[in-house]
Amino acid sequence: MQNWEVNGKTVLLRVDFNVPIKDGVIKDASRIEKSLDTIRFLLAKGAKLIVLSHLGRPLKELLPDGTIDYGKFSLAPVSEALRKSLGVNVIFAKDCAGSDTIEQLNQLKAGEILLCENTRFNKQEEKADPLWSKQLADLAEFYVNDAFGSAHREHASTATVARFFDRDHKAFGFLMKAEVDNGKKVLHDAQKPFTAILGGAKVSDKILLIENLMDRCDHILIGGGMAYTLLAAQGYRIGTSLLEKDKIDLAKELIEKAKSKGVQLVLPEDSVVAAQFSNDVPIRITQDQNIEDNEMGLDVGPKTVELFSQYILKSKTLIWNGPMGVFEMSNFASGTKAIAQAVADATSQGAYSLIGGGDSAAAINQFGLAAQVSFVSTGGGAMLELLEGKELPGVAAILD
Ligand code: AMP
């Protein structure tokens, strides 16, 4: 993209502007801001920029009469936000690659933006329809994908469209390139010791991730709700903590596999427990791994924080995916906060740290530590799949 001559040329840019909108007001514009570098760069080069994005799931959340809620899922408020942020003319097309797009495109000048309406108003988008993808491709001479958050989906505007451009006419945007580079760096170019910190609700969501990381990491530290299925598999009493009974055998296999590969799989040594999933009931810290029958583990305890921090501080590469406890409730946020701090401290001592692929990105932002780690991914599901070792359709379609 950097060496393209796009002055006066049409560039089709897919971004992830899937922002929360209530009554026409954007509640959090951070997803828009993340792609502004790419947009500014292309506009400064004199491109005529056609911008595409999805917003929500309009075909899944229909009105009671079975029709699309065009008002709720319209990208129109985004055109105003773009105009304000960039100070350039932003034309809004009422469709995506339809007659209004073509008509508006005729008016579009170099250095201006044509924002098309929600890609997902068209059923062809999620079906990756080749004919419609070709219609999208026919709008422009170049294609840029900056929508990393959608890169794990083979949709028309995120992947299929790219196949109609040759390698010299398609590229990653800056955000997407940073995500892909950072993900690949930890998987293929990690300095040792390499430690993964995994948490979040369910072990079933993270099985592929654990398996892929086992071939790369020295230590895997596991906290959060997912730890309790692994603790149960080790024979500890876990009370009413989150348990995926049908995954106990698999948990045993993972523990054995780690041993045979010489990877240290480290589980919590204590927990912050309560009788209910609530911030308004008394809490207790357990003596060891065992939890009473009427209690549930909702955060890692101080012994675990100490142990995990030791591993983190001696690492040169860190991946963190998933919170250590129910950090949304203040009584159960300490473990996640302390681990976030340890990751920030290790980073200041020279370690490389990647945060993402789960709620840990939200946690690190909540604790104000995002600037003190190496990279915070914006692509939850996409980063998870990249770290699982999968090929993402949106990435592959650019590199093909
Ligand atoms: P994930 O999207 O997989 O990263 O999971 C994040 C969710 O896991 C957050 O909403 C946390 O509140 C939740 N979580 C973390 N630890 C626990 C726990 N011990 N019990 C129940 N939920 C948890």
Side-chain angles (χ1 to χ4, degrees):
M1 187 175 76
Q2 245 111 337
N3 49 17
W4 282 355
E5 297 286 340
V6 290
N7 193 10
K9 302 271 169 64
T10 323
V11 178
L12 187 66
L13 170 66
R14 176 54 157 100
V15 291
D16 182 357
F17 284 171
N18 184 24
V19 290
I21 298 178
K22 185 114 201 298
D23 302 325
V25 179
I26 298 171
K27 294 291 167 196
D28 176 1
S30 39
R31 285 203 171 136
I32 298 177
E33 284 151 21
K34 298 272 180 198
S35 277
L36 289 182
D37 281 350
T38 302
I39 293 179
R40 282 201 184 98
F41 177 82
L42 290 166
L43 292 179
K45 283 201 152 209
K48 295 181 185 175
L49 200 55
I50 306 172
V51 177
L52 306 181
S53 176
H54 74 282
L55 179 78
R57 309 167 84 200
L59 298 183
K60 306 245 159 52
E61 295 168 35
L62 296 169
L63 288 166
D65 66 358
T67 58
I68 296 176
D69 190 342
Y70 288 105
K72 180 173 169 193
F73 294 105
S74 175
L75 273 171
V78 173
S79 63
E80 189 49 39
L82 279 179
R83 200 171 295 128
K84 273 197 190 139
S85 302
L86 298 163
V88 298
N89 191 24
V90 181
I91 305 172
F92 184 66
K94 292 196 266 321
D95 56 23
C96 185
S99 55
D100 197 42
T101 300
I102 310 274
E103 203 171 299
Q104 306 289 353
L105 188 54
N106 288 330
Q107 324 291 324
L108 192 67
K109 298 191 188 71
E112 292 185 346
I113 295 176
L114 172 62
L115 175 68
C116 291
E117 184 56 286
N118 196 345
T119 54
R120 288 194 187 162
F121 283 166
N122 307 275
K123 57 181 185 316
Q124 300 97 319
E125 163 73 329
E126 289 175 71
K127 288 186 178 149
D129 181 90
L131 282 179
W132 192 64
S133 304
K134 171 89 168 55
Q135 231 169 290
L136 292 174
D138 284 345
L139 296 171
E141 290 145 282
F142 294 84
Y143 172 76
V144 176
N145 192 347
D146 211 21
F148 181 71
S150 308
H152 54 316
R153 303 205 169 96
E154 172 83 43
H155 288 174
S157 70
T158 60
T160 323
V161 63
R163 305 195 194 279
F164 294 96
F165 294 84
D166 65 31
R167 287 198 76 164
D168 296 333
H169 291 80
K170 60 184 172 183
F172 296 133
F174 294 126
L175 171 66
M176 179 118 163
K177 180 156 187 349
E179 295 273 1
V180 172
D181 286 352
N182 278 278
K184 289 193 173 169
K185 178 183 160 91
V186 288
L187 288 184
H188 305 298
D189 198 15
Q191 261 188 289
K192 302 255 178 177
F194 179 5
T195 300
I197 310 144
L198 307 181
K202 289 186 183 164
V203 72
S204 53
D205 291 342
K206 309 281 163 89
I207 290 162
L208 294 175
L209 178 64
I210 298 174
E211 287 188 335
N212 193 34
L213 292 177
M214 253 185 220
D215 291 329
R216 300 175 154 80
C217 291
D218 304 293
H219 320 110
I220 301 181
L221 318 177
I222 299 189
M226 66 187 273
Y228 296 104
T229 300
L230 288 146
L231 286 166
Q234 300 261 55
Y236 293 108
R237 287 183 293 121
I238 61 159
T240 57
S241 307
L242 267 186
L243 171 67
E244 288 178 272
K245 256 197 189 134
D246 59 330
K247 294 290 176 290
I248 288 197
D249 284 342
L250 195 104
K252 284 182 186 159
E253 275 171 36
L254 285 176
I255 293 165
E256 283 312 310
K257 221 183 208 176
K259 262 190 212 145
S260 73
K261 289 186 186 258
V263 176
Q264 265 179 299
L265 209 137
V266 189
L267 297 178
E269 298 208 318
D270 58 353
S271 291
V272 179
V273 298
Q276 283 160 39
F277 190 84
S278 161
N279 208 29
D280 304 316
V281 291
I283 56 170
R284 183 178 81 81
I285 293 163
T286 58
Q287 290 298 310
D288 55 24
Q289 287 88 344
N290 291 300
I291 294 174
E292 297 301 322
D293 291 349
N294 60 342
E295 294 173 326
M296 60 180 78
L298 294 173
D299 193 9
V300 292
K303 267 194 245 171
T304 309
V305 166
E306 177 64 34
L307 177 70
F308 283 12
S309 299
Q310 281 170 16
Y311 282 106
I312 292 168
L313 290 169
K314 68 179 183 195
S315 299
K316 284 268 169 287
T317 304
L318 294 157
I319 290 182
W320 182 21
N321 173 298
M324 296 289 101
V326 186
F327 73 103
E328 298 93 335
M329 295 190 217
S330 58
N331 281 349
F332 312 108
S334 308
T336 304
K337 191 171 183 184
I339 294 307
Q341 189 61 56
V343 173
D345 292 345
T347 312
S348 73
Q349 291 170 25
Y352 168 85
S353 53
L354 180 131
I355 319 296
D359 262 4
S360 36
I364 203 106
N365 285 322
Q366 181 177 313
F367 302 133
L369 292 168
Q372 294 175 50
V373 296
S374 308
F375 189 73
V376 182
S377 174
T378 57
M383 183 52 86
L384 181 62
E385 290 197 19
L386 194 104
L387 296 177
E388 285 172 353
K390 288 187 189 154
E391 186 176 68
L392 308 185
V395 174
I398 293 290
L399 300 176
D400 274 355

